[in-house]
């Protein structure tokens, strides 16, 4: 075994093999690699720019029907009755489904993405049962021969609603006399349990040290309250799927998802099927950011297909996406920080209230855990509340829960730095978490790169560039855990020595390219000779979804292990051809070589040569891996931003933006930079303009990109990036996840920059022009 | 639903008059097709006016600009003279949408869609542009400000449509400007828009000025008093403040998802000042 592991990474040009990953504090290029760190054209690139790539709505099957959803016009209403008889009778309508078609499910919590789901809630979220809980909640669905008839059928369904008082604000929802979203919801996490129901689903508490002691030792204490609005992930491709049930009870489902195995599990449960009878095929995906880790249309399409006997396609309109799919939660957060005059933070306290939407399960727990994670603080106490309201159920959105709480903490820390006259970057350096520090949420950090990102920020020309009068500069750091998890991968060796790589994690951010590079590095072959595919749920073993910044890390580890499995077989085949012991064969630079003089004199055998003769040496060669990836490396980033504020209109312009992040190891730097830039851009929208606007009846007023203002290209400068590499020792090449951390710092960085420009501390997001102008007028 | 694309004004009038209110004019379609797809309208007949020669022309007759109602923003922007004579009108037209939308969006559509926030309308009104309207009773010409009567409402009768926009001849040292406020940098709807058109004498004094404001009332409005404030002055900062005060006094905005009444009123004054500065600068060099 040992010899095998060594040979897998023994490359003539490498002095130290990357396996084992014992090196720390490494800079870019520290470990010589041939493929890791290069920027080849992505394998899926051509099909995407030519339009050939097939997204969720691009599947067409014979006799396919169109499915459409009837949605509640009320934010909160009891559903007295649903009469679909006229719709069912309309010629061209092949199936109508309502709550009666779905069996109720017991209340049980199971992990999905970075959250927990409850099937009792899920069956109610995909189709309203006793009550419609938000405007846009699905109430019925039809399948018809075309969209026009489907729409007409929807208009013929009679739903008798009894409108109820609604609540969408988190503080109002927590008030004792608030309308109850669920009449039977008893707050969990409180001892003794309350006897009366409320909208507070859960109370959680993290305590580390003793905050009263901490605050007693503080020279200054700052306490502030913050509010953030729900924000949408803003993926460009709408949810879409095609379901096809056959008469024997088996089904195929094509959909745009971040995790087809997770979709299979949910749909099988909601339809009462065995998972092996449902095959889910992930299409190309036009963005997800966490929003495509849940099911909306998929169970409906399957049910309509089962009922009608036809394939059914469903796709949401943009309006449906805004009204019925989960945003990141809006929040109300109180933060209190105690500091000594020398800049040492001695205590941190926070209370977080997160809107879960119509069903419990907001990411408030992650928000609590992340709030103070970037800092080494002796005394920390964080309390969180998960609060249900009449809005769509919150869904994951990059680093779910963290951007809100870290916005609050990073704002307070900036204010304290100003109070004691210390550079906010130096203050962060003085308190930064590093290897060996016990995080407030429990674990002790291994090698992490926060200090390195802060030092890179300090040394970056951006940090010292002069600002014009009236402009401001802000800085903020951010943390996210990153995860590993269950993952499979297969490498199928073709008879000409090329390799088909099959992974189970849908590729959202260029991960196929990164997986190829890791396989190429391990096998010692040209990356262009490896073609990657995303396998369906019948092709691979269970693979958790693309989320938690885990794909390049976890699927990467699986691919490396599959490559090592293949190398083991290749060495055996070479040994057979040479008639020597397998231990006497080394795999170097993509070929089998005798291990040394004692092994004998043989001409090396290339991958292609061994592949070509595989039929004679034992049959096909397939490298496999099924792993539960452990040891994901936490991600830290630091953002620098310069702003200008139009003092007459309140409009904030982003002048310059630099993202610095520890990637562990940037496998394909283009896609790391893309993640860093994307996070900054989404953060700019979150900070400045994005909000859900409701009328007094709880109906969304801006369900589209015209009035829900994500940034357009001309709103943002070129986002500069710096990749810091502090390798993750658990991954053979040092990879950490990078996809989520970049959304954490922007809101505070921008608020801190605006404060630098105007001397006004904004605590409510978005910091939109009317708010800025109003505050400017108040200070005269 | 039927689609027609007549080649003459007469044929278009006949088709439009025949179907009554369930008939719609189609120019670039950047409003109409969106409304159609959203189910907001369901006309029986759509009459595309783009094949009618007069709707596609840009002419300069003795210094007077005439722009066909179906000329796209991109064509107007590329015309060798239009921008020189009416930079404010052309910059307003070029603000509409994106490159793709620019290839289609028209002045006629922008006006007749009757959105209170339409970008070209304040610029057209400030310019003193007039609409040439074809109809069952022949041609008539009315000021642009007489077309919109409320959000989505226009004064045109059955069978009538806008054929072209006629601009007055410009005295020397005249120019115009249009500014709008949007939270983003593009692809957004004006929270406020201000158009100004003015003429200076040789000494740099303002001899005439017309100010129009969009998105602060059910239709774009002319603020006569704002223009009058500038006349006889050199548009110094104090005068500009007085002019802005008149603009703010004339605003009757609503609170909606795009801005509060208070915010709109405040920013209308700011934009009026900024647009005037630009127009003055242009007029000095015109
Ligand atoms: C992505 C996008 C961005 C946009 N951005 C802006 C913007 O920044 N600013 C802005 O003001 N608008 C904007 N719009 C709206 C629209 O593009 C403009 O109003 C445009 O000028 C409409 O012109 P059109 O030729 O496309 O009109 P159409 O859609 O063809 O017509 C609009 C209406 O006017 C009627 N009509 C058209 N021509 C005539 C005529 N000659 N006589 C009588 N009736 C007529 C039609 O029947 C219809 O009711 C945007 C639209 C989109 C889709």
């Amino acid at each position: 075994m040992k010899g095998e592991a060594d040979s897998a990474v023994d490359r003539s040009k490498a002095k130290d093999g990357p396996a084992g990953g014992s090196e720390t504090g490494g800079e870019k290029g520290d470990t010589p690699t041939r493929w890791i760190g290069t920027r080849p054209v992505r394998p899926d690139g051509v099909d995407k720019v030519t339009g050939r790539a097939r997204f969720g709505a691009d599947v067409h099957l014979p006799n396919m029907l169109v499915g459409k959803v009837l949605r509640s016009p009320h934010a909160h209403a009891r559903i007295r009755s649903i009469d679909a008889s006229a719709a069912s009778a309309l010629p061209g309508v092949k199936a109508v489904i309502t709550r009666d078609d779905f069996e109720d499910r017991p209340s049980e919590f199971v992990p999905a993405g970075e959250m927990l789901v409850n099937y009792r809630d899920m069956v109610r979220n995909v189709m309203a049962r006793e009550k419609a809980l938000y405007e846009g909640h699905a109430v019925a669905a039809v399948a018809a021969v075309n969209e026009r008839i489907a729409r007409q059928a929807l208009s013929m369904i009679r739903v008798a609603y009894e409108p109820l008082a609604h609540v969408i604000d988190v503080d109002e929802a927590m008030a004792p006399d608030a309308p109850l979203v669920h009449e039977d919801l008893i707050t969990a996490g409180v001892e003794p349990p309350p006897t009366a129901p409320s909208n507070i689903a859960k109370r959680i508490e993290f305590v580390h040290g003793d905050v009263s002691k901490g605050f007693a030792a503080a020279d200054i204490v700052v306490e502030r309250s913050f509010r953030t609005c729900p924000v949408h992930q803003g993926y460009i491709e709408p949810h879409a799927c095609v379901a096809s049930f056959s008469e024997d009870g088996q089904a195929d489902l094509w959909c745009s998802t971040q995790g087809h195995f997770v979709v299979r599990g949910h749909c099988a449960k909601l339809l009462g099927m065995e998972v092996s009878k449902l095959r889910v095929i992930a299409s190309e995906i036009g963005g997800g950011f966490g929003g495509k880790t849940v099911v909306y249309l998929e169970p409906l399409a399957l049910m309509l297909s089962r009922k009608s006997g036809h394939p059914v396609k469903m796709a949401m309109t943009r309006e449906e996406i805004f009204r019925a799919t989960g945003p990141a939660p809006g929040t109300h957060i109180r933060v209190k920080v105690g500091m000594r005059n020398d800049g040492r933070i001695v205590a941190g306290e926070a209370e977080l209230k997160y809107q879960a939407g119509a069903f419990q399960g907001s990411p408030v727990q992650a928000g609590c855990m992340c709030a103070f994670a970037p800092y080494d603080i002796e005394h920390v106490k964080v309390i969180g509340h998960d609060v249900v309201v009449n809005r769509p159920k919150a869904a994951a959105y990059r680093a779910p829960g963290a951007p809100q709480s870290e916005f609050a903490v990073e704002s307070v820390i900036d204010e304290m730095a100003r109070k004691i006259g210390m550079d906010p970057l130096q203050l962060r350096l003085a308190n930064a978490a590093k290897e060996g520090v016990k995080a407030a949420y429990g674990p002790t950090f291994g090698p992490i790169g926060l200090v390195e990102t802060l030092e890179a920020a300090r040394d970056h020309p951006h940090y010292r560039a002069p600002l014009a009068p009236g402009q401001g500069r802000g800085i903020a750091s951010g943390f996210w855990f990153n995860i590993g998890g269950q993952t499979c991968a297969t490498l199928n060796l073709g008879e000409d020595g090329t390799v088909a790589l099959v992974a189970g994690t849908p590729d959202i951010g260029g991960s196929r390219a990164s997986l190829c590079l890791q396989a190429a590095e391990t096998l010692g072959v040209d990356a262009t000779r490896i073609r990657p595919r995303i396998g369906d749920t019948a092709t691979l073993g269970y693979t958790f979804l693309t989320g938690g910044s885990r794909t390049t890390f976890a699927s990467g580890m699986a691919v490396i292990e599959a490559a090592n499995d293949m190398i083991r077989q290749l060495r055996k085949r070479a040994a057979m051809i040479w008639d020597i012991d397998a231990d006497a064969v080394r795999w170097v630079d993509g070929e089998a070589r005798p291990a040394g003089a004692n092994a004998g004199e043989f001409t090396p055998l290339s991958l292609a040569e061994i592949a070509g003769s595989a039929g004679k040496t034992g049959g096909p060669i397939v490298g496999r891996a099924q792993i539960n990836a452990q040891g994901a490396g936490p991600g830290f980033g630091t953002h620098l931003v310069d702003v200008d504020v139009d003092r007459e209109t309140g409009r904030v312009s982003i002048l310059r933006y630099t993202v610095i992040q520890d990637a562990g190891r940037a496998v394909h730097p283009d896609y790391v930079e893309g993640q860093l830039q994307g996070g900054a851009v989404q953060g700019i929208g979150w900070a400045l303009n994005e909000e859900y606007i409701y009328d007094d009846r709880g109906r969304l007023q801006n369900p589209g990109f015209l009035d829900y203002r994500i940034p357009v290209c001309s709103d943002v400068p070129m986002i500069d990036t710096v990749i810091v590499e502090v390798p993750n020792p658990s991954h053979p090449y040092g990879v950490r996840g990078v996809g989520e951390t970049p959304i954490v710092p922007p809101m505070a960085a921008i608020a801190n920059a605006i404060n630098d420009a105007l001397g006004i501390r904004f605590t409510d997001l978005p910091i939109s022009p009317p708010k800025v102008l109003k505050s400017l007028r108040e200070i005269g | 639903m039927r689609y027609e694309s007549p080649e003459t004004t007469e044929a278009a009038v006949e088709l439009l008059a025949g179907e009554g209110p369930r008939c719609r004019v189609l120019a670039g379609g950047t409003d109409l097709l969106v409304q159609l797809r959203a189910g907001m309208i369901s006309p029986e007949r759509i009459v595309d006016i783009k094949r009618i020669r007069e709707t596609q022309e840009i002419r300069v007759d003795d210094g007077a600009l005439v722009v066909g109602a179906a000329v796209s923003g991109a064509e107007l922007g590329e015309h060798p003279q239009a921008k020189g004579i009416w930079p404010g009108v052309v910059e307003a037209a070029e603000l509409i949408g994106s490159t793709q939308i620019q290839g289609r969006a028209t002045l006629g559509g922008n006006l007749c869609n009757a959105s209170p926030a339409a970008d070209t309308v304040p610029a057209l009104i400030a310019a003193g542009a007039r609409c040439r309207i074809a109809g069952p009773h022949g041609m008539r010409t009315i000021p642009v400000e007489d077309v919109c009567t409320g959000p989505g409402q226009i004064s045109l009768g059955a069978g009538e449509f806008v054929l072209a926009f006629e601009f007055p001849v410009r005295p020397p040292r005249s120019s115009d400007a249009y500014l709008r406020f949007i939270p983003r940098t593009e692809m957004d709807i004006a929270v406020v828009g201000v158009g100004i058109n003015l003429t200076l004498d040789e000494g740099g004094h303002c001899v005439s000025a017309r100010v129009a404001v969009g998105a602060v009332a059910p239709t774009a409005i002319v603020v006569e008093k704002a223009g009058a404030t500038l006349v006889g002055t050199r548009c110094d900062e104090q005068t500009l403040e007085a002019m802005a005060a008149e603009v703010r006094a004339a605003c009757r905005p609503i609170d909606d998802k795009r801005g509060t009444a208070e915010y709109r009123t405040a920013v209308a004054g700011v934009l009026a000042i900024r647009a005037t500065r630009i127009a003055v600068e242009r007029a000095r060099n015109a």
Side-chain angles (χ1 to χ4, degrees):
Chain A
M1 281 304 283
K2 182 168 185 307
E4 286 164 5
D6 285 346
S7 66
V9 295
D10 179 7
R11 288 159 303 119
S12 52
K13 295 187 194 97
K15 266 193 255 111
D16 304 303
S22 54
E23 68 276 324
T24 52
E27 300 273 330
K28 214 171 181 175
D30 223 11
T31 313
T33 48
R34 190 175 302 165
W35 291 103
I36 303 291
T38 63
R39 302 171 184 251
V41 168
R42 61 196 291 165
D44 51 315
V46 170
D47 280 0
K48 283 192 172 144
V49 298
T50 57
R52 183 169 281 109
R54 293 205 298 172
F55 290 87
D58 292 333
V59 174
H60 301 277
L61 297 178
N63 302 317
M64 190 169 79
L65 306 177
V66 176
K68 282 271 149 207
V69 179
L70 182 69
R71 298 185 179 280
S72 169
H74 303 287
H76 194 193
R78 198 167 302 285
I79 300 174
R80 289 256 174 260
S81 64
I82 304 174
D83 177 3
S85 51
S88 302
L90 184 70
V93 172
K94 303 292 183 187
V96 180
I97 57 171
T98 66
R99 55 191 179 183
D100 297 336
D101 292 276
F102 291 91
E103 208 178 302
D104 204 355
R105 295 281 150 195
S107 195
E108 65 174 320
F109 278 94
V110 294
E114 294 150 58
M115 300 174 166
L116 288 174
V117 296
N118 180 318
Y119 282 113
R120 183 175 182 272
D121 289 348
M122 194 188 289
V123 76
R124 280 165 178 73
N125 197 31
V126 300
M127 192 64 90
R129 268 183 120 77
E130 300 83 3
K131 298 199 290 184
L133 296 171
Y134 50 95
E135 187 218 12
H137 199 165
V139 172
V142 303
V145 292
N146 62 40
E147 183 169 338
R148 194 178 52 79
I149 295 176
R151 284 185 189 280
Q152 196 186 340
L154 291 184
S155 71
M156 295 165 75
I157 299 173
R158 300 275 158 265
V159 184
Y161 293 103
E162 177 195 332
L164 303 169
H166 74 281
V167 61
I168 58 169
D169 176 79
V170 70
D171 290 307
E172 285 170 22
M174 289 175 80
D177 56 347
L180 289 176
V181 179
H182 302 280
E183 286 84 359
D184 56 357
L185 187 68
I186 300 290
T187 310
V190 179
E191 281 306 329
T195 49
S198 74
N199 292 320
I200 307 166
K202 194 165 151 191
R203 180 184 187 279
I204 45 183
E205 195 173 308
F206 285 89
V207 180
H208 172 79
D210 177 354
V211 281
S212 57
K213 252 195 215 156
F215 285 115
D219 297 313
I220 53 163
V221 174
V222 169
E223 183 171 5
R224 292 274 172 269
S225 234
F226 297 84
R227 281 175 184 280
T228 71
C229 282
V231 286
H232 200 267
Q233 298 85 353
Y235 38 81
I236 298 303
E237 184 205 15
H239 294 269
C241 64
V242 172
S244 180
F245 243 94
S246 69
E247 285 66 18
D248 62 1
Q250 305 199 54
D252 287 338
L253 175 70
W254 290 260
C255 60
S256 174
T257 176
Q258 292 177 235
H260 40 312
F261 289 88
V262 170
V263 168
R264 179 184 66 173
H266 291 340
C267 289
K269 188 77 95 185
L270 297 183
L271 277 102
M273 305 170 70
E274 293 166 358
V275 293
S276 61
K277 288 206 169 147
L278 177 59
R279 181 172 68 119
V280 185
I281 305 106
S283 68
E284 289 292 345
I285 175 169
F289 309 107
K292 289 182 183 159
T293 57
V294 272
V295 294
Y296 298 108
L297 298 177
E298 295 83 357
L300 308 186
L302 280 164
M303 192 62 88
L304 286 168
S305 178
R306 182 195 262 174
K307 226 174 160 175
S308 67
H310 290 266
V312 175
K313 178 190 281 194
M314 299 185 84
M316 284 195 191
T317 61
R318 184 68 58 194
E319 182 175 340
E320 287 181 289
I321 290 176
F322 275 105
R323 292 199 199 280
T325 73
T331 66
H332 184 188
I333 297 169
R334 181 183 59 80
V335 168
K336 184 175 165 190
V337 176
M339 190 186 282
R340 290 199 316 244
N341 280 332
D342 63 0
R344 188 81 184 105
I345 303 172
V346 289
E349 189 181 277
E351 188 181 355
L352 281 54
K353 302 169 188 171
Y354 279 37
Q355 297 167 355
F359 299 96
Q360 64 179 299
S362 79
V364 66
Q365 177 149 347
C368 291
M369 292 161 83
C370 292
F372 293 103
Y375 302 106
D376 175 9
I377 310 176
E378 207 180 331
H379 306 287
V380 172
K381 180 177 178 184
V382 186
I383 295 168
H385 299 279
D386 185 28
V387 183
V388 292
V389 291
N390 295 111
R391 297 173 183 260
K393 180 177 180 354
Y397 177 10
R398 296 179 95 157
Q404 297 94 330
S405 65
E406 294 189 57
F407 157 64
V409 170
E410 289 292 291
S411 296
V412 169
I413 285 182
D414 190 76
E415 182 173 344
M416 299 189 90
R418 284 169 188 280
K419 275 218 159 83
I420 61 166
M422 192 167 172
D423 180 326
L425 194 153
Q426 291 301 341
L427 187 130
R428 284 180 173 80
L429 265 176
N431 293 281
K434 40 180 107 51
E435 183 167 5
V437 165
K438 190 165 159 45
Y441 70 91
T444 300
F445 286 122
I448 53 171
L450 175 58
V451 167
E452 286 77 357
T453 66
L454 285 163
E455 287 169 350
R458 180 195 60 202
D459 300 339
H460 195 281
H462 182 169
Y463 199 60
R464 281 181 305 276
L467 287 169
Q471 298 176 351
R473 176 165 298 150
I475 181 174
S477 296
F479 157 82
W480 183 249
F481 315 91
N482 300 332
I483 61 167
Q486 300 182 68
T487 313
C488 294
T490 308
L491 296 173
N492 298 305
L493 182 60
E495 57 273 32
D496 60 357
T498 59
V499 176
L501 183 162
V502 186
T505 38
D507 176 358
I508 308 191
S511 58
R512 268 169 295 189
S514 305
L515 297 181
C516 277
L517 293 177
Q518 295 181 67
E521 193 70 47
T522 308
L523 282 173
V525 303
D526 200 300
T528 59
R529 293 168 65 81
I530 303 174
R531 295 307 292 178
R533 298 260 166 225
I534 305 305
D536 64 44
T537 55
T539 311
L540 285 172
Y542 181 88
T543 298
F544 190 52
L545 48 73
T546 292
S549 302
R550 73 179 212 94
T551 300
T552 304
F553 168 74
S555 273
M557 275 169 86
V559 160
I560 293 165
E561 190 164 316
N564 283 325
D565 181 34
M566 179 176 281
I567 289 169
R568 240 178 335 258
Q569 298 170 46
L570 292 165
R571 286 171 50 231
K572 234 181 244 163
R573 303 301 174 96
M576 201 183 281
I577 293 167
W578 292 333
D579 197 18
I580 62 174
D581 205 70
D583 283 347
V585 179
R586 297 194 314 152
W587 188 259
V588 186
D589 275 348
E591 57 184 28
R593 293 181 191 168
N598 289 347
E601 282 281 315
F602 301 102
T603 314
L605 285 169
S606 70
L607 186 64
E609 285 167 318
I610 299 175
S613 62
K616 285 180 241 144
T617 59
I621 298 173
V622 177
R624 285 181 218 286
Q626 41 271 322
I627 64 170
N628 193 357
Q630 301 294 316
F636 287 91
T638 296
H639 293 203
L640 285 173
V641 59
D642 295 350
V643 301
D644 201 356
V645 185
D646 183 331
R647 281 152 174 83
E648 292 179 328
T649 65
R651 193 161 179 286
V652 175
S653 306
I654 306 293
L655 303 174
R656 185 171 182 180
Y657 204 114
T658 306
V659 181
I660 301 142
Q661 191 173 317
D662 173 19
R665 189 74 196 273
V667 174
H668 193 309
D670 277 356
Y671 302 134
V672 174
E673 289 159 6
Q675 293 294 327
L676 272 45
Q677 292 170 322
V681 171
Q682 287 182 311
I684 289 169
W686 192 335
L688 297 180
N689 279 311
E690 292 179 36
E691 60 184 317
Y692 278 56
I693 303 166
Y694 284 91
D695 69 8
D696 57 3
R697 293 165 67 182
R699 294 174 306 195
L700 186 62
Q701 298 299 292
N702 56 335
F705 285 139
L706 182 56
D707 291 305
Y708 180 87
R709 296 190 177 90
I710 63 172
V712 297
C713 257
S714 51
D715 289 341
V716 296
M718 186 63 192
I719 310 283
D720 209 354
T721 58
V722 178
I723 300 172
V724 169
E725 295 188 314
V726 177
N728 171 14
S730 306
H731 183 281
Y733 300 120
V735 169
R736 289 173 197 276
V738 297
E740 291 170 292
T741 303
I743 191 68
V744 181
M747 286 63 80
I750 292 167
N752 294 343
I754 294 171
N755 181 71
D756 190 43
L758 301 180
I760 302 174
R761 170 68 52 195
F762 286 93
T763 54
D764 290 4
L765 300 182
I767 311 173
S768 57
K771 262 184 215 162
V772 176
L773 191 63
K774 197 159 186 240
S775 297
L776 279 165
R777 295 182 142 202
E778 277 161 14
I779 63 165
Chain B
M1 188 175 76
R2 287 185 58 79
Y3 167 84
E4 309 276 359
S5 55
E7 291 181 20
T8 64
T9 307
E10 297 71 35
V13 167
E14 198 170 313
L15 283 164
L16 285 167
E19 200 60 58
R22 308 230 22 188
C23 189
R24 286 282 184 152
V25 175
L26 173 74
T30 61
D31 280 316
L32 192 82
L33 296 191
V34 175
Q35 292 161 6
L36 208 61
R37 295 197 62 160
M40 292 159 65
I41 54 168
S42 46
E44 295 290 339
R45 180 184 282 169
I46 286 179
V47 180
D48 186 343
I49 58 167
K50 288 194 289 295
R51 294 177 65 185
I52 303 167
R53 195 177 44 82
E54 292 91 322
T55 70
Q56 292 287 1
E57 275 179 348
I58 309 179
R59 288 198 323 267
V60 184
D61 294 342
D62 292 332
L65 179 70
V66 178
V67 180
V71 168
S72 72
E75 287 168 292
L76 185 60
E78 284 169 15
H79 189 268
Q81 288 152 288
K83 204 174 204 161
I85 314 175
W86 293 103
V89 171
V90 177
E91 75 193 344
E94 288 188 310
L95 279 177
I96 296 175
S98 57
T99 304
Q100 291 91 329
I101 297 293
Q102 278 290 302
R104 283 285 180 188
T106 68
L107 292 183
N110 198 228
L111 175 64
C112 296
N113 186 56
S115 157
D119 278 310
T120 66
V121 180
L124 289 168
I125 293 176
R130 296 168 68 82
C131 291
R132 197 166 161 73
I133 294 170
H137 309 296
M139 297 286 179
R140 63 188 181 109
T141 303
I142 60 170
V144 167
E145 56 269 38
D146 290 353
V147 173
C148 298
T149 54
Q153 305 293 320
I154 54 174
S155 63
L156 269 56
E160 286 192 319
F161 71 100
V162 178
L163 197 59
F165 292 84
E166 300 174 353
F167 293 81
V169 178
R170 314 220 73 183
R173 290 173 303 279
S174 298
S175 200
D176 65 337
Y178 175 78
L179 287 177
R180 69 171 176 186
F181 181 83
I182 54 173
R184 286 189 287 217
T185 45
E186 58 183 15
M187 297 302 282
D188 220 327
I189 290 185
V191 174
V192 190
V194 181
I196 171 145
N197 172 33
L198 51 74
T199 300
L200 306 178
D201 66 15
E202 282 174 0
H205 291 88
C206 179
V207 290
S208 74
R210 223 168 122 79
V211 179
V213 192
V216 294
T219 64
I221 52 170
V222 193
V223 188
E224 307 275 3
K225 283 185 184 164
T229 313
L230 298 176
V231 173
T233 76
R234 296 176 60 93
C235 303
D236 53 282
E237 289 302 311
Q238 220 176 336
T239 308
L240 291 183
E241 285 298 343
M243 182 271 305
E246 294 293 355
V247 167
R248 291 190 177 109
C251 293
R252 288 170 281 131
I254 52 165
D255 282 326
D256 73 0
K257 60 190 172 190
R258 302 205 172 109
T260 60
E262 181 192 358
Y263 182 73
R264 287 188 149 119
T265 306
V267 174
V270 173
L271 294 191
I273 293 175
R274 293 179 180 180
T276 306
R277 287 195 195 118
I278 296 169
V280 167
E281 193 54 38
R282 286 176 178 164
R284 283 198 186 120
N285 302 315

